[in-house]
Every structure is written in structure tokens, then in C-alpha cells.
Amino acid sequence: RPVRVRRPARAGWTDRRARGAGGCRANRAPSYAGTDRQVRGRLLAVLREAHGPVPQAALDRVWHEPVQRARALDGLVSDGLVEPMPGGLYRLPLS
């Protein structure tokens, strides 16, 4: 049986590989703060806690940036997670 010779790893090779080519960690999750995901979560929290349909004004208080808030709400509606109702009300789907 041939003798297997172990070669020493090149210094830093595993660290560079773990961090990716640019030196930053490849598996690092992007920041959650300020993202549309955070806004969607806040909107859904208001709707989950409500005992009925929620007026637009209640959702407007959730996030300070109107364009981002509207984009998040539109996304929730198009994903079928929120139902718009007459009179500017919103609710979670019944089924």
C-alpha cells in the first residue's frame, strides 16, 4: 500500500474560500432593517392583530416612507396575502 503524504494547506486558503473572492462572507444574509420584507411584516402584523378589516390610515402609520409602504402593500395584495375591500379597507384572506 502506498504511503500517503499529507501536504500542509496553503495559509489562508480555507479562510479565503469561506469568505468568497471579494473577501466578504459568502453566506452572510442581507440586512433586514429598512427592506420591503420588513415593511410587509409590519403590515401583516397589523392585519393579524385586527379583529376585522383595517383602514388604510392604520396601515399608513406602520411605515414612514409612503412609496415603499405602497409597494409592500401592493405586493401583499398581488401575492394573495391581503385582500383590499371597498372603502379603503384591507384584511387577511378568509380562507
Side-chain angles (χ1 to χ4, degrees):
R1 185 192 259 190
V3 176
R4 189 170 192 179
V5 177
R6 248 190 117 149
R7 295 183 187 165
R10 291 188 305 210
W13 178 83
T14 55
D15 189 44
R16 280 196 310 268
R17 184 173 178 189
R19 293 185 180 272
C24 62
R25 292 198 74 79
N27 61 350
R28 186 175 189 182
S31 176
Y32 178 71
T35 63
D36 285 359
R37 237 177 82 213
Q38 183 182 21
V39 182
R40 287 169 59 108
R42 289 190 178 185
L43 293 170
L44 286 172
V46 170
L47 293 164
R48 275 193 312 269
E49 294 169 6
H51 296 288
V54 175
Q56 176 74 50
L59 298 176
D60 289 346
R61 289 190 291 270
V62 169
W63 197 255
H64 64 282
E65 214 301 301
V67 174
Q68 187 179 21
R69 185 181 58 242
R71 183 174 59 235
L73 184 58
D74 288 345
L76 290 169
V77 169
S78 68
D79 290 345
L81 299 173
V82 173
E83 288 183 357
M85 301 181 67
L89 299 172
Y90 294 88
R91 70 175 183 197
L92 295 176
L94 295 177
S95 55

